[in-house]
Amino acid sequence: MFRLTIHTAFAAAHNLINYQGDCENLHGHNWKVEVSITTDELDKAGLGIDFKILKKETNNLLKTLDHKYLNELAPFSEISPSSENIARYLYHELTKIFGSDKVKVEMVTVWESDFAAASYYE
């Protein structure tokens, strides 16, 4: 089995819902995103998936979040746009693109700072 991982980032504003503290106020982060996929097969070039493709599709998805107020976006209209919920959202959206018998999204990790991250996997 092979695991391939890319790192990318986006910037956005949010406020946490049902949270008592500073983070209930509007604020922003420069989120770092780590996406890992697994595969047990390699193509003719010896690749599980081209890193360029994985990063391109991930960045296309992140463009829908970048420099936005996350609370106003459909995926977070009913739930708090926490790092946990962002990671779950990205996992499910990337699974629609990369989920197959050969390739599986293993985990998505969203870092809201250099010292705090949330991961989602199934």
Side-chain angles (χ1 to χ4, degrees):
M1 189 65 96
F2 299 92
R3 176 184 297 137
L4 294 87
T5 302
I6 58 125
H7 292 235
T8 187
F10 73 99
H14 74 155
N15 63 284
L16 298 180
I17 302 166
N18 298 318
Y19 180 86
Q20 295 183 0
D22 290 341
C23 292
E24 69 183 336
N25 298 317
L26 178 64
H27 64 285
H29 296 282
N30 292 316
W31 274 282
K32 296 176 195 166
V33 177
E34 181 176 309
V35 176
S36 294
I37 61 118
T38 58
T39 184
D40 58 1
E41 292 183 25
L42 302 180
D43 64 16
K44 292 178 188 176
L47 305 176
I49 189 170
D50 190 329
F51 284 121
K52 288 190 305 188
I53 294 170
L54 181 57
K55 196 158 194 177
K56 178 185 176 210
E57 294 296 337
T58 301
N59 284 335
N60 283 342
L61 177 58
L62 293 181
K63 284 179 188 176
T64 66
L65 306 178
D66 192 44
H67 286 82
K68 301 284 191 326
Y69 176 41
L70 300 181
N71 297 66
E72 294 180 341
L73 301 180
F76 307 107
S77 62
E78 302 291 323
I79 60 172
S80 189
S82 63
S83 293
E84 294 87 343
N85 284 328
I86 295 168
R88 179 175 47 194
Y89 166 72
L90 294 173
Y91 177 95
H92 287 141
E93 292 302 306
L94 290 168
T95 295
K96 292 176 187 176
I97 298 167
F98 293 111
S100 72
D101 292 341
K102 296 180 182 182
V103 175
K104 179 186 183 308
V105 178
E106 180 186 45
M107 182 166 44
V108 174
T109 301
V110 175
W111 293 82
E112 69 175 40
S113 74
D114 289 338
F115 308 104
S119 298
Y120 185 83
Y121 61 95
E122 293 180 357

